[in-house]
């Protein structure tokens, strides 16, 4: 199997899996993944909830871990230095996850607003201004619509 054939097969499999992950059933023959605003809102809300709950939960043992590491290190135990190192790593990981949650939530908020603005702009561009010529139904030409898909 050539690279192109394998790539096409993998791409088709991923598209199918993504389509199945959406809340609505995919249109037969459609290769587009459609996400409704409600889906984006739920994901953003979950990311925000994780952010709000993670900060206190991720730090609840911080003082005890720091104190135990310092105490053990002060008594000459190598375990104290190791515990302090694990505590530092844990704090870094919690901060990274907090940043990821904030990024996801903010990005989804932006995506919803941007998508709505794009839809409104396209709608405004497709409106016909002025009288429609007699015998015409007022439809926008295919060539005009095609400009929005490039």
């Amino acid at each position: 199997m050539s690279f192109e054939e394998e790539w096409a097969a993998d791409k088709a499999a991923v598209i199918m899996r993504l389509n199945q992950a959406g809340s609505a059933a995919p249109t037969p023959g459609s290769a587009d993944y459609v996400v409704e605003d409600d889906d984006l809102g739920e994901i953003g809300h979950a990311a925000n909830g994780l952010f709000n709950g993670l900060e206190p939960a991720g730090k609840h043992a911080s003082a005890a871990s720091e104190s135990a590491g310092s105490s053990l290190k002060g008594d000459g135990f190598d375990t104290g230095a190791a515990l302090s190192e694990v505590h530092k790593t844990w704090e870094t990981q919690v901060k990274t996850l907090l940043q990821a949650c904030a990024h996801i939530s903010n990005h989804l908020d932006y995506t919803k607003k941007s998508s709505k603005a794009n839809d409104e702009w396209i709608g405004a561009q497709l409106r016909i201004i002025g009288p429609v010529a007699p015998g015409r139904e007022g439809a926008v030409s295919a060539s005009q619509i095609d400009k929005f898909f490039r």
Side-chain angles (χ1 to χ4, degrees):
M1 180 182 279
S2 72
F3 171 79
E4 288 81 13
E5 292 170 333
E6 187 175 345
W7 175 251
D10 288 345
K11 186 176 170 184
V14 168
I15 288 170
M16 186 172 65
R17 287 181 63 200
L18 287 174
N19 278 332
Q20 291 171 349
S23 63
T27 306
S30 171
D32 291 332
Y33 179 62
V34 177
V35 179
E36 303 296 331
D37 279 347
D38 290 345
D39 296 331
L40 293 177
E42 287 179 26
I43 295 168
H45 182 71
N48 192 342
L50 181 58
F51 178 87
N52 291 332
L54 179 63
E55 191 163 23
K59 294 180 179 180
H60 83 279
S62 183
S65 297
E66 193 173 342
S67 174
S70 296
S71 179
L72 288 168
K73 195 180 339 181
D75 291 338
F77 290 101
D78 290 339
T79 307
L83 182 58
S84 294
E85 184 64 29
V86 167
H87 177 252
K88 270 195 266 181
T89 302
W90 175 259
E91 282 185 329
T92 300
Q93 295 298 325
V94 168
K95 287 177 185 176
T96 301
L97 188 53
L98 284 168
Q99 289 174 353
C101 290
H103 179 72
I104 289 167
S105 181
N106 291 340
H107 180 72
L108 290 174
D109 285 345
Y110 170 79
T111 300
K112 284 176 67 173
K113 290 175 187 171
S114 173
S115 177
K116 183 178 180 188
N118 286 341
D119 287 347
E120 289 171 353
W121 182 83
I122 290 171
Q125 297 300 310
L126 293 175
R127 284 192 197 96
I128 294 178
I129 300 172
V132 177
R136 303 276 312 231
E137 60 187 48
V140 177
S141 68
S143 61
Q144 186 69 19
I145 292 172
D146 187 53
K147 291 178 185 178
F148 296 108
F149 295 100
R150 292 186 182 201

